[in-house]
Amino acid sequence: MGCWAHARRKFKDVPGKNGKAKQAIDYCNQIFKIERALQGLSPEERYEQRQLQVKPVIEAFYDFLGSFIPMKGKLQTAVHYVLNQKKELMAFLKDGRLEASNNRAERAIKTVVIGRKNYLFSTSLSGAEANAIIYSIIETAKEHGLNIYKYLTYLFEHLPNVEFLMKPKLLEDFLPWAKNVQEYCKGI
């Protein structure tokens, strides 16, 4: 998956009042404007609307990039980035569940990135794996709108009484999207 926010940012980094860079940014802005309008749709509807509305904008954008004469500097870097990432940047058009940018995913891992120097002090592979597991649990719970404290408390109170080693399927009742978890741990 490519990220249209990254593509847009490459053109924003072009110094001065470059008309070509501004036009490229305008194309990216059109994509994001349409995507915002499609947010409330089901994945199937979003897929269909992307084919009708977003795909023509992207195709026009790539046609526009093809008209560039050889250039240098940051504009060349931006154009090469978008041309080299074409397959990845167009991947979101194939599935209505995918997003045009990975900003949401990057925000989700921000706590991991900020704390990475601390992880140098994980003195064992087991410690590093424990960090990865707890971050995965917490970030998944956040994505499902759970109160993290309530969710972790729920897990610590209920999981010790579950024979999930013998019956791993029982763990499904403790996943962030499970109905009982949603009812008990939702919100503040």
Side-chain angles (χ1 to χ4, degrees), residues 18-35:
N18 187 299
K20 297 258 188 201
K22 180 167 180 350
Q23 283 180 276
I25 292 167
D26 289 343
Y27 277 108
C28 294
N29 289 344
Q30 285 179 51
I31 293 166
F32 285 115
K33 182 178 180 181
I34 297 167
E35 282 297 304

Side-chain angles (χ1 to χ4, degrees), residues 102-173:
N102 64 10
N103 283 346
R104 210 160 61 107
E106 287 184 1
R107 277 192 306 274
I109 65 166
K110 191 171 187 169
T111 53
V112 175
V113 172
I114 290 171
R116 73 178 150 216
K117 287 186 181 178
N118 297 333
Y119 311 140
L120 296 173
F121 301 103
S122 291
T123 57
S124 68
L125 182 57
S126 296
E129 287 174 350
N131 278 341
I133 290 168
I134 195 65
Y135 274 115
S136 294
I137 291 169
I138 289 171
E139 293 304 323
T140 303
K142 282 182 187 176
E143 278 299 306
H144 287 352
L146 300 182
N147 176 305
I148 304 305
Y149 179 80
K150 280 184 180 179
Y151 182 53
L152 291 175
T153 301
Y154 183 82
L155 294 179
F156 293 140
E157 288 175 353
H158 294 89
L159 276 178
N161 302 321
V162 175
E163 293 184 27
F164 58 85
L165 292 176
M166 303 276 280
K167 300 175 186 174
K169 193 122 174 99
L170 293 174
L171 283 177
E172 291 179 14
D173 292 336

Side-chain angles (χ1 to χ4, degrees), residues 71-78:
M71 69 224 101
K72 294 182 180 178
K74 294 212 179 224
L75 182 59
Q76 179 183 25
T77 302

Side-chain angles (χ1 to χ4, degrees), residues 22-132:
K22 180 167 180 350
Q23 283 180 276
I25 292 167
D26 289 343
Y27 277 108
C28 294
N29 289 344
Q30 285 179 51
I31 293 166
F32 285 115
K33 182 178 180 181
I34 297 167
E35 282 297 304
R36 279 191 299 276
L38 303 180
Q39 273 183 335
L41 301 179
S42 72
E44 296 79 17
E45 293 168 322
R46 195 173 309 118
Y47 168 81
E48 290 174 17
Q49 289 304 310
R50 281 178 176 167
Q51 302 311 303
L52 295 172
Q53 297 182 50
V54 180
K55 190 174 181 183
V57 173
I58 293 174
E59 289 170 346
F61 179 53
Y62 276 101
D63 288 345
F64 165 72
L65 292 179
S67 71
F68 279 38
I69 55 171
M71 69 224 101
K72 294 182 180 178
K74 294 212 179 224
L75 182 59
Q76 179 183 25
T77 302
V79 171
H80 279 49
Y81 175 84
V82 173
L83 292 175
N84 291 337
Q85 293 284 316
K86 184 174 183 178
K87 181 180 175 188
E88 291 83 0
L89 287 168
M90 296 198 57
F92 82 105
L93 294 173
K94 296 178 183 176
D95 189 331
R97 296 172 296 175
L98 301 177
E99 295 185 20
S101 93
N102 64 10
N103 283 346
R104 210 160 61 107
E106 287 184 1
R107 277 192 306 274
I109 65 166
K110 191 171 187 169
T111 53
V112 175
V113 172
I114 290 171
R116 73 178 150 216
K117 287 186 181 178
N118 297 333
Y119 311 140
L120 296 173
F121 301 103
S122 291
T123 57
S124 68
L125 182 57
S126 296
E129 287 174 350
N131 278 341

